[in-house]
């Protein structure tokens, strides 16, 4: 298994390099550079040119790329034009916020998907199954941003069960119990909104996989041993049905990224998604680049994690 | 007349391993196999799964990368896969094991059978239809069924569609890879009878690949036994079944179930004796890698893999 | 010595297709004694596997009528809990395809242990492991300690089939059902597996139902043979009688369609095995495969006749049956009817 994991990790390097090249080229293609907007338009052009030379802005691309990558490795993501601060500092808190939002969403996604998928698959073609698949069809058909708005209106404004914006109530001391509870409270509604919509594909996958697996011959073998139906499902069908769910995990991560962009906007939740939209609107390109880079990184890591999970569940992958 | 001559055929598959997926070794799927077939005969290739019998057939068919050796068909060297052998290739066709998966389910019978015709012959629509109908009639299916899809036929009928496709170009050699092992007994009889009929009618030569010795005995003139990529024994049907020389052949022959219930104790005893002999004399018949030795003639037609004497 | 172990009375197992039930096993009655091997022969679609699954109660969505009496219990009307107590303990099954019958994600040891955990909960972990190693040795698996921790895909087909047999015999079942146990195996493996089943049967004194399409396997293994066609038993007799003096047209046809010494042309049975929905439900089910026989040869409602002690034949057509002229046979073997 270790051999597989090491090999799988090695393959992420070329992916990372490719990602960085693409993002670097993207950044290069964007109009302006570090000096644009910083200098007074009345300054002499020659002086600007001299400045550019000094800053290395006229270097050939591969030197600029090397500089950029070595900066990245030291945690230097450049300067935000808008906020006049290091992108790293700008992103830090938002990254943490988005991270917890994503974790909560994933948690809800699987808390909803596992029981629904299992029930629906085990009792397929019953009323219960029809209601669950009915829900998944509604989930497929409903756009996330409309659903999130409805949730916000119902639970935030009408019922007032949840806060309607921000990531924590103001005036609380960081690290205190109240602070943490407030953070969680702010997370719940956006995470739940996202999870309720995103979980439907996992429910569907799990359902069809269970329907498939329960016709396999080894399930008959288990029954012939005298295993009860509950045991047959828990020991034999469930684990074998998890394989595609694990494979789907990496896609789940990319869904999550697009999800946060909408949801953070709607709930005014200060995270990466909101930052991303803001900086596009404000043409804060160094921030856009940094956010895209992190999103790309998340997707690559998601794929890595999903393959490692697969190798743990499935011995056939391990040995290869 | 010798129609096919295979000399020292080797087909090796690389084994990749390690973090960088380097080739560390080779699987010798076919290891130094030579044989020749007379026109109009049926040549049986027998072995258990993994013995290399299917790979041998596929190599002759041009479906494998050949590591070494030559294949001479009808006087022409066809060893190289993509050389100017297209015309020769049309004279070798294959029948596959599984009549359920070897026919494209989305194609009509007409298109399935016409496929080789379209590849090799320029026929008008009318001529093509006529040929396909003739072929269907030849394999005993109604000419009206050209517009049907494979799932509308039974297993035996499907296998006959596969045969119709194989004989569409009037080939000289047909490689039949386990053609009846997916079929029921009575359907099996149908297909085997039919293969013998068209053999006589069209003067076909068969390479008949099978693990079922009962059927091989029924169908073949000459038989080769393969084990781990090598020939263990080769001879006429009588030599192989009545005077097997190699312990592996003896073991295979002893494993055939006898449809005479009265013989069961005798067979059981016989199998046990052979198994004992197999275990005791294993080193006399196989080298230190567990492979068969090279073939030594014991008669004009009978070759056995035995170690050098002395 | 002839102690009744299993008695099936008028079993009918039906499957639902669309809005109707179709019987895959129809009016099957038979008995199995202790220490006896009953061979059940038939082609695909004959209902032989459906019969085996009925005895094990493994059909999840079938309608079963009649009785399957085993150790004083009727499998047809048994509670799931009681059935689970029997399965894997007093009765067990060996499956056809060793490649798919094992859970790909579970170690071999765990798969065999499971049946011990279910029926011998009092065993300690160590006792269980010892027993599994012992079973692996019994079925002829080399290096059992090593195989214990392996996964199915690491074993060859023959080895996997041995594991499946080890699972089946773990609790020394009184009834062992083997459903095409060697079909997926190579010849030498087939012989070894059959010898193994025979040896285990003798050791445990179990009754064995051996389901196969291979007449050679039956001839070597069975004490009695039942031939099934289209869901019914058409002939049943002891193995010597069946092979030497077969009566039913189907049995006779089947025996002539396998290659034998000095036979140039194999017999082909006209037509095809009808599918479940198209089974003739009235009259002799084999009649349409032997159309050259006059319809008066068949019984109106064919039943099994005991023509000599222990030898039963369905329908009266056996008295009038003759093979169709061989030359003619060759001509019509290319049947042009579609199904």
């Amino acid at each position: 298994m270790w051999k597989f994991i090491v090999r799988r990790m090695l393959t992420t390097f070329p992916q990372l390099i490719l990602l960085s090249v693409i993002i670097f080229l993207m950044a290069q293609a964007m109009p302006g550079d570090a000096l644009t907007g910083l200098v007074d338009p009345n300054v002499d052009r020659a002086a600007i040119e001299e400045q550019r030379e000094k800053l290395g802005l006229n270097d050939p691309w591969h030197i600029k790329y090397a500089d950029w990558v070595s900066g990245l490795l030291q945690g230097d993501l450049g300067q935000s034009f808008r906020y006049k601060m290091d992108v790293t500092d700008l992103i830090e808190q938002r990254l943490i916020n988005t991270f917890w939002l994503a974790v909560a969403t994933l948690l809800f996604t699987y808390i909803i998907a596992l029981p629904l998928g299992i029930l629906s698959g085990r009792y397929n073609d019953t009323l219960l199954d029809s209601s669950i698949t009915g829900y998944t069809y509604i989930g497929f058909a409903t756009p996330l941003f409309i659903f999130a708005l409805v949730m916000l209106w119902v639970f935030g404004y009408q019922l007032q069960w949840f806060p309607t914006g921000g990531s924590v109530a103001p005036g609380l001391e960081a690290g205190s119990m109240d602070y943490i509870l407030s953070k969680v409270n702010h997370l719940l509604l956006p995470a739940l909104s996202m999870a309720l919509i995103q979980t439907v594909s996992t429910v569907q996958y799990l359902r069809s996989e269970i329907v498939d697996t329960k016709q396999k011959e080894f399930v008959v073998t288990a029954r012939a041993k005298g295993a009860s139906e509950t045991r047959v499902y828990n020991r034999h069908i469930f684990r074998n049905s998890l394989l595609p769910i694990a494979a789907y995990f990496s896609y789940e991560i990319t869904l999550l990224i697009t999800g946060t962009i909408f949801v953070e906007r709607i709930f005014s939740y200060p995270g990466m998604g909101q930052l991303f939209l803001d900086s596009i609107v404000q043409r804060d390109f160094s921030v856009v680049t940094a956010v895209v880079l992190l999103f790309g990184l998340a997707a690559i890591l998601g794929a890595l994690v999903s393959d490692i999970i697969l190798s743990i569940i499935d011995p056939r992958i391990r040995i290869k | 007349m010798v129609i096919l001559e295979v000399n020292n055929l080797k087909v090796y598959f690389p084994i990749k391993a390690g973090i960088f997926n380097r080739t560390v070794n080779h699987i010798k799927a076919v290891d130094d196999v030579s044989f020749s077939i007379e026109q109009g005969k049926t040549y049986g290739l027998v072995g258990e799964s993994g013995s290399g019998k299917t790979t041998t057939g596929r190599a002759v068919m041009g479906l494998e990368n050949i590591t070494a050796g030559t294949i001479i068909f009808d006087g022409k060297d066809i060893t190289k896969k993509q050389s100017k052998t297209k015309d020769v290739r049309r004279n070798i066709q294959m029948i596959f094991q599984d009549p359920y998966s070897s026919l494209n389910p989305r194609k009509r019978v007409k298109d399935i059978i016409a496929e080789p015709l379209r590849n090799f012959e320029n026929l008008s629509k009318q001529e093509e239809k006529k040929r396909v109908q003739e072929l269907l009639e030849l394999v005993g299916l109604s000419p009206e069924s050209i517009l049907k899809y494979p799932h509308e036929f039974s297993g035996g009928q499907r296998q006959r569609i596969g045969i119709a496709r194989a004989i569409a170009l009037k080939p000289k050699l047909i490689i039949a890879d386990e053609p009846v092992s997916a079929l029921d007994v009575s359907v099996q009889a149908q297909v085997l009878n039919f293969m013998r009929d068209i053999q006589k009618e069209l003067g076909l030569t068969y390479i008949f690949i099978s693990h079922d010795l009962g059927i091989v005995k029924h169908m073949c003139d000459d038989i080769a036994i393969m084990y781990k990529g090598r020939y263990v024994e080769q001879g006429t049907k009588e030599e192989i079944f009545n005077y097997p020389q190699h312990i592996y052949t003896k073991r295979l022959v002893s494993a055939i179930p006898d449809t005479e219930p009265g013989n069961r104790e005798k067979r059981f005893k016989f199998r046990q004796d052979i198994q004992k002999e197999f275990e005791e004399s294993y080193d006399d018949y196989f080298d230190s890698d567990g492979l068969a030795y090279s073939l030594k003639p014991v008669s004009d037609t009978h070759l056995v893999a035995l170690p050098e004497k002395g | 010595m002839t102690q009744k172990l299993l008695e099936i009375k008028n079993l009918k197992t039906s499957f639902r297709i669309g809005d109707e039930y179709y019987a895959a096993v129809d009016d099957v009655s038979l008995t199995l004694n202790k220490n006896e091997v009953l061979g059940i022969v038939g082609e695909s679609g004959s209902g032989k596997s459906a019969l085996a699954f009925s005895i094990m109660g493994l059909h999840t969505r079938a309608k079963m009528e009649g009785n399957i009496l085993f150790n004083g219990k009727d499998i047809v009307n048994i509670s799931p809990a009681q059935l689970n107590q029997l399965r894997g303990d007093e009765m067990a099954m060996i499956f056809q395809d060793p490649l798919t019958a094992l859970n790909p994600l579970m170690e071999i040891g765990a798969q065999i242990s499971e049946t011990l955990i279910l029926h011998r909960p009092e065993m300690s972990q160590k006792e269980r492991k010892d027993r599994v190693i012992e079973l692996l040795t019994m079925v002829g698996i080399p290096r059992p300690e090593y195989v214990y921790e392996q996964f199915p895909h690491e074993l060859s087909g023959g080895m996997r089939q041995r594991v499946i047999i080890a699972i089946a015999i773990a609790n020394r079942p009184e009834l062992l059902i083997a459903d095409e146990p060697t079909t997926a195996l190579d010849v030498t493996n087939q012989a070894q597996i059959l010898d193994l089943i025979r040896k285990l049967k003798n050791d445990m004194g179990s009754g064995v139902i051996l389901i196969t399409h291979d007449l050679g396997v039956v001839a070597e293994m069975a004490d009695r043979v039942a031939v099934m066609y289209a869901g019914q038993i058409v002939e049943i007799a002891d193995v010597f009688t069946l092979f030497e003096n077969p009566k039913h047209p189907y049995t006779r046809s089947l025996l002539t369609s396998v290659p034998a010494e000095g036979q140039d042309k194999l017999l082909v049975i006209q037509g095809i095995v009808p599918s479940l929905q198209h089974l003739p439900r009235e009259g002799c089910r084999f009649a349409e495969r032997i159309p050259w026989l006059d319809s008066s040869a068949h019984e109106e409602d064919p039943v099994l006749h005991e023509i000599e002690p222990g030898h039963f034949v369905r329908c009266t057509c056996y008295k009038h049956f003759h093979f169709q002229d061989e030359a003619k046979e060759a001509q019509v073997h290319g049947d042009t009817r579609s199904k």
Side-chain angles (χ1 to χ4, degrees), chain A residues 157-169:
Chain A
Y157 291 104
Q158 296 299 311
L159 297 170
Q160 307 212 338
W161 289 359
F162 296 101
T164 56
S167 73
V168 66

Side-chain angles (χ1 to χ4, degrees), chain C residues 5 69-74:
Chain C
L5 179 66
L69 301 171
F70 172 64
N71 269 359
K73 295 176 194 88
D74 186 353

Side-chain angles (χ1 to χ4, degrees), chain B residues 48-49 184 186 193 197 264, chain C residues 43-44 186 188 222 265-266:
Chain B
E48 303 192 280
S49 41
D184 264 323
S186 65
N193 280 349
D197 289 348
R264 62 165 73 167
Chain C
E43 297 182 275
S44 43
D186 280 324
T188 49
K265 198 95 192 162
L266 303 173

Side-chain angles (χ1 to χ4, degrees), chain C residues 190-228:
Chain C
Q190 164 169 311
Q192 287 170 2
I193 294 287
L194 291 178
D195 289 345
L196 176 66
I197 293 176
R198 187 197 335 249
K199 185 177 164 297
L200 292 169
K201 183 217 81 168
N202 289 337
D203 290 352
M204 303 188 297
S206 321
V208 176
I209 293 185
L210 176 72
I211 290 166
T212 180
H213 69 278
D214 190 329
L215 293 160
V217 169
V218 170
E220 292 220 356
M221 293 284 291
D223 299 312
R224 275 191 307 139
V225 185
V227 181
M228 281 187 81

Side-chain angles (χ1 to χ4, degrees), chain A residues 221 223-225 231 236 240, chain C residues 87-88 101 103 111 114 119 153:
Chain A
T221 309
R223 288 205 180 102
K225 285 179 196 171
R231 191 184 169 95
H236 296 277
N240 280 279
Chain C
R87 292 200 289 218
N103 187 335
Q111 303 206 35
E114 189 174 23
H119 301 285
H153 70 272

Side-chain angles (χ1 to χ4, degrees), chain C residues 112-144:
Chain C
I112 304 174
S113 300
E114 189 174 23
T115 164
L116 297 172
I117 293 170
L118 288 164
H119 301 285
R120 303 278 177 273
E122 71 282 358
M123 273 177 127
S124 73
Q125 218 167 356
K126 177 159 185 316
E127 285 172 332
R128 217 158 39 221
K129 182 165 181 178
D130 290 347
R131 171 70 176 149
V132 172
I133 303 281
E134 184 191 335
L135 285 164
L136 286 171
T137 317
M138 270 167 78
V139 295
I141 287 182
R143 298 196 298 162

Side-chain angles (χ1 to χ4, degrees), chain B residues 6 35 60 68 95 97 116 140 151 156 163 171-172 174 177 179-180 205 219 223 249 290 301 306:
Chain B
V6 172
F35 61 94
V60 173
I95 301 172
Q97 170 173 8
H151 70 263
I163 295 176
K172 293 179 179 159
I174 287 187
D177 188 4
V180 294
T205 309
M219 291 294 286
I223 293 163
T249 315
T301 49
L306 293 172

